[in-house]
Amino acid sequence: MVQIYVVCGSWKRCQINGWIFVADERKGGRVVGVESNTRFDDLKAMVLEDFSFESGIDVEFSYLPRGLINDAISPRVVISNDRQVQNFVGYIRKQESKQLCLTLKDPKENSGVHIDGNGDHGGVPPTDGLSHVKDEIKKGKMILKEINDEEEVLSQKEIEYDYQFRGALMEAVKIKQEFRSKSLLKSTFEILAMKHNFDYIVLKSDTSFWTARCVVKECNWRVRAVSLKGTTMFVITKYVGEHTCAPSGKAKIGRTASAKTIGNLIMQKYEGVKEGPKPNDIIQLMRIEHGCKISYDLAWEAREFAVNYVRGIPEESYAKIPRYLHMLKEANPGTHTAFKTDPDGSFRYMFISFGQSIRGFYKAMRRVIVIDGTFLKNKYKGTLLVATALDGNSNLYPLAFGVVDSENDLSWEWFLRQLHVVIEDDYDLAFISDRNLSIGRLLPIVYQRATHGICIHHLLNNVISYLHGKGVAALVAKASKAYRIADFQTMMTDIVKNRPDVGKYLVKADVRKWARCLFVGYRYDVRTTNPAESLNSALRSPREFPVIPLLDSIREMLTRWFFKRRTLSSKHTHPLTVAVEKKITRRTEKGKAFTVQQVDATRFVVGGDIYECVVDLAKRTCTCAKFDLQKIPCRHAIPAIFAIGKQPHEFTDELWKTELWRVGYEEAVNPIGVPEDAWSVPQVVDEEIVSCPESRRAAGRRRKRRFESVEDKIRSQQRKTHKCSRCDNSGHNRATCDMPI
């Protein structure tokens, strides 16, 4: 629960500080407790009861999120529904001032008010602060009228600015103003000095006393604050806010804020999963928005502070693992989580699989799972292991995630055994992976009934890199895609004839694992580990986070994906998914000129292609074998289906239909519904101790992308064309150019 201060009054526009809240002294303020799940009607009822207002009175709740805006003329944020209440609670949790403004819609109810000299969205300031500034501005205007036109005088705007500047310094802070901590006190004066272009010297600073004066000894500006006994709060006991030093005597524009203060200013820019501003971006931001020049080192430290504050300190993140996993399971029933530590309590492995994904996989997904690992980029490194499937629309459907030290036998065995808890071993289950030796050894042990296929991309990369088989790489790729065994054997014979060493390597790699037509079971159109690679790419930025923010980013990604696809599938009215409908369209176009000869009630001979095909609609097979393996009508089956007056979706497997597509996303992935300080866990979970793992950073610059493969380099070279810089034609360069110009 969060305690907020509700103050009654109205909003006014001030030339000095923009929008300010004018407090009503008669009605005063109240302290109200709210939670993340507090509804708007409940909040309204509590406030009306505390202020002794009638239940039917019309009121408005609002606040000014100064941490999210840079312009003083930005209007207030009005709270009018439950979602806005949740946004307000989430915002004030990270703010020092937790105030909510209450405005009565009836103007007669707002009387006896005064201007808030703090320029903040609440509080009860002195009544003569702003009126004094206005009187001084009027005096300045009267003086202008009495001065002779021939004399050189300051313009009216300059005089107004001078009084506004002094008034702003006087009203920014005041005597007896309290601060929750010494760091907040120091940050306030650093921002004040940076904003109003002055510098100061700290004379004394300890746990109970803080005093400072202007950097110019002759200047009157000074401040003194002391701590309240028994608390961490500081209160200003003396403050002279007017500078008497000469602007021409300054050595620099103003004081440079500390890294912590700058980090607080830019903190909101790192919320979410994006990387956020880089140090050079922070330098430009501070120069443009605050007129302050900072060094690259200071910008880097400010970024580190902001990132650690928003995403959490890595060391503290590991200690939260037991409590976080427990709360995540409470919010998402059926979720399986596990973690393992060394005897000394240091982190070793972690596993998480959401119950919604597991239930959706069994109900509506192809039984093909792609597994892969990628490196983490946080302080303690490690490896992220993923297991993902594909839905009927060929979208990624994440099943499980694991955080381990590296890709080795022990880590892969632990991950696969945890996966075995939620995905049972079966003969119709298939796994696709790269040629990792640990996976190849351990997968048949953990999943004895499932079949194992390897990624053709990695196989081709090995052929090109180690066997220099660039000339036969295209033929190997074509052989792996063949649907008919006869076509595969023909291409394999050509490979062996041209490159016996490559043929020997392909046979040793087990053709049943990489050739589609020889694969035992069904792998559909999943030939590579691209689904897992794409999932790793989607988590590129969160892979830099500590472990708890990483898991929260994964949960947020699944929540977003499930909602988006649930909405998309509910609006899709066609019998088959979007991707399959496009395939049917292309195949219908290719087969519209084919001839169809009916043999019996379910068998047809389709001609007009390279060779005649026999289609059996009862068995859902075709001589081309595409109908058999993909379970989608091929370009030969579609004309046969039309010949008997049927529709292609009637002969398409259930996995590709829109109904099952909706079933896969019918559940929502839920966030943890309570704040961290309100987590309630069993004692046995609370007593679990997890410390950070032992890690040593390797030499050299950390890479954020995988190494470019030989295949990628060959493709880039094939796409790149060189042109002559003299005639702009390809095929030669400037030295050999003989074209007339």
Side-chain angles (χ1 to χ4, degrees), residues 27-51:
K27 296 181 176 61
R30 305 290 189 275
V31 176
V32 178
V34 296
E35 297 180 353
S36 300
N37 57 353
T38 300
R39 302 181 60 184
F40 176 76
D41 294 338
D42 298 335
L43 175 63
K44 181 178 179 180
M46 287 190 296
V47 172
L48 293 181
E49 180 182 356
D50 291 349
F51 276 92

Side-chain angles (χ1 to χ4, degrees), residues 379-448:
K379 179 179 179 180
Y380 291 97
K381 291 193 170 183
T383 301
L384 177 68
L385 305 182
V386 299
T388 182
L390 292 175
D391 64 13
N393 197 42
S394 296
N395 297 130
L396 299 178
Y397 197 82
L399 296 177
F401 299 87
V403 178
V404 298
D405 52 356
S406 62
E407 291 192 72
N408 52 55
D409 287 0
L410 294 177
S411 61
W412 268 116
E413 182 180 8
W414 189 86
F415 177 80
L416 291 174
R417 292 198 181 281
Q418 295 300 325
L419 183 64
H420 190 273
V421 175
V422 293
I423 304 294
E424 295 181 356
D425 190 11
D426 202 351
Y427 290 109
D428 65 348
L429 187 64
F431 285 89
I432 307 297
S433 69
D434 56 17
R435 298 200 66 200
N436 184 284
L437 297 178
S438 298
I439 298 177
R441 282 194 296 263
L442 297 169
L443 193 58
I445 297 176
V446 180
Y447 283 92
Q448 299 179 3

Side-chain angles (χ1 to χ4, degrees), residues 259-260 262-263 266 270 277-283 294-308 544 697 702 704:
K260 185 176 181 179
I262 298 175
I266 62 175
Y270 293 93
K278 303 296 185 187
N280 286 329
D281 300 329
I282 298 174
I283 293 174
I294 62 176
S295 64
Y296 186 91
D297 292 341
L298 182 59
W300 175 267
E301 293 178 5
R303 181 183 184 276
E304 290 296 301
F305 173 84
V307 169
N308 288 334
E544 295 185 356
R697 177 178 172 179
R702 290 182 293 175
K704 297 187 177 183

Side-chain angles (χ1 to χ4, degrees), residues 692-711:
C692 55
E694 295 183 2
S695 177
R696 181 177 61 87
R697 177 178 172 179
R701 179 176 63 86
R702 290 182 293 175
R703 292 187 175 272
K704 297 187 177 183
R705 295 176 180 267
R706 67 178 179 86
F707 287 95
E708 187 179 20
S709 65
V710 175
E711 185 181 9

Side-chain angles (χ1 to χ4, degrees), residues 245-498:
C245 54
S248 59
K250 293 181 178 180
K252 59 180 182 178
I253 295 178
R255 185 182 184 87
T256 302
S258 64
K260 185 176 181 179
T261 300
I262 298 175
N264 281 314
L265 292 175
I266 62 175
M267 190 179 300
Q268 70 276 4
K269 298 183 181 295
Y270 293 93
E271 295 179 351
V273 299
K274 295 184 180 297
E275 294 183 1
K278 303 296 185 187
N280 286 329
D281 300 329
I282 298 174
I283 293 174
Q284 296 298 325
L285 186 70
M286 296 299 296
R287 182 182 62 83
I288 295 173
E289 296 187 1
H290 301 281
C292 178
K293 294 182 180 180
I294 62 176
S295 64
Y296 186 91
D297 292 341
L298 182 59
W300 175 267
E301 293 178 5
R303 181 183 184 276
E304 290 296 301
F305 173 84
V307 169
N308 288 334
Y309 187 89
V310 173
R311 301 171 184 170
I313 300 174
E315 290 78 5
E316 297 178 356
S317 185
Y318 286 101
K320 298 177 183 177
I321 287 178
R323 303 174 71 242
Y324 179 84
L325 295 181
H326 175 82
M327 295 304 299
L328 205 60
K329 290 171 64 176
E330 292 290 325
N332 299 276
T335 298
H336 174 62
T337 63
F339 66 92
K340 182 180 180 181
T341 60
D342 289 331
D344 60 352
S346 59
F347 174 82
R348 191 69 178 272
Y349 307 137
M350 185 180 62
F351 178 91
I352 181 170
S353 180
F354 287 89
Q356 296 87 334
S357 297
I358 301 304
R359 291 187 288 271
F361 175 78
Y362 276 108
K363 292 178 182 178
M365 303 298 152
R366 287 167 274 175
R367 299 297 188 267
V368 181
I369 300 177
V370 181
I371 56 177
D372 194 17
T374 185
F375 56 90
L376 297 176
K377 299 169 283 186
N378 55 36
K379 179 179 179 180
Y380 291 97
K381 291 193 170 183
T383 301
L384 177 68
L385 305 182
V386 299
T388 182
L390 292 175
D391 64 13
N393 197 42
S394 296
N395 297 130
L396 299 178
Y397 197 82
L399 296 177
F401 299 87
V403 178
V404 298
D405 52 356
S406 62
E407 291 192 72
N408 52 55
D409 287 0
L410 294 177
S411 61
W412 268 116
E413 182 180 8
W414 189 86
F415 177 80
L416 291 174
R417 292 198 181 281
Q418 295 300 325
L419 183 64
H420 190 273
V421 175
V422 293
I423 304 294
E424 295 181 356
D425 190 11
D426 202 351
Y427 290 109
D428 65 348
L429 187 64
F431 285 89
I432 307 297
S433 69
D434 56 17
R435 298 200 66 200
N436 184 284
L437 297 178
S438 298
I439 298 177
R441 282 194 296 263
L442 297 169
L443 193 58
I445 297 176
V446 180
Y447 283 92
Q448 299 179 3
R449 299 176 181 177
T451 52
H452 180 206
I454 59 176
C455 172
I456 186 60
H457 173 85
H458 291 85
L459 185 70
L460 288 175
N461 189 41
N462 292 342
V463 169
I464 295 173
S465 300
Y466 304 117
L467 301 177
H468 306 289
K470 179 181 176 183
V472 295
L475 194 58
V476 175
K478 191 175 181 181
S480 69
K481 293 188 293 184
Y483 288 94
R484 297 171 68 243
I485 296 178
D487 295 337
F488 170 78
Q489 291 176 344
T490 301
M491 287 179 277
M492 194 66 181
T493 301
D494 294 339
I495 294 172
V496 173
K497 184 184 298 183
N498 295 328

Side-chain angles (χ1 to χ4, degrees), residues 218-267:
E218 294 77 13
C219 182
N220 292 336
W221 188 94
R222 61 192 65 250
V223 61
R224 182 175 62 198
V226 297
S227 65
L228 296 178
K229 190 174 182 179
T231 68
T232 59
M233 298 182 63
F234 272 72
V235 60
I236 295 179
T237 58
K238 180 179 180 181
Y239 178 57
V240 180
E242 184 175 355
H243 282 270
T244 57
C245 54
S248 59
K250 293 181 178 180
K252 59 180 182 178
I253 295 178
R255 185 182 184 87
T256 302
S258 64
K260 185 176 181 179
T261 300
I262 298 175
N264 281 314
L265 292 175
I266 62 175
M267 190 179 300

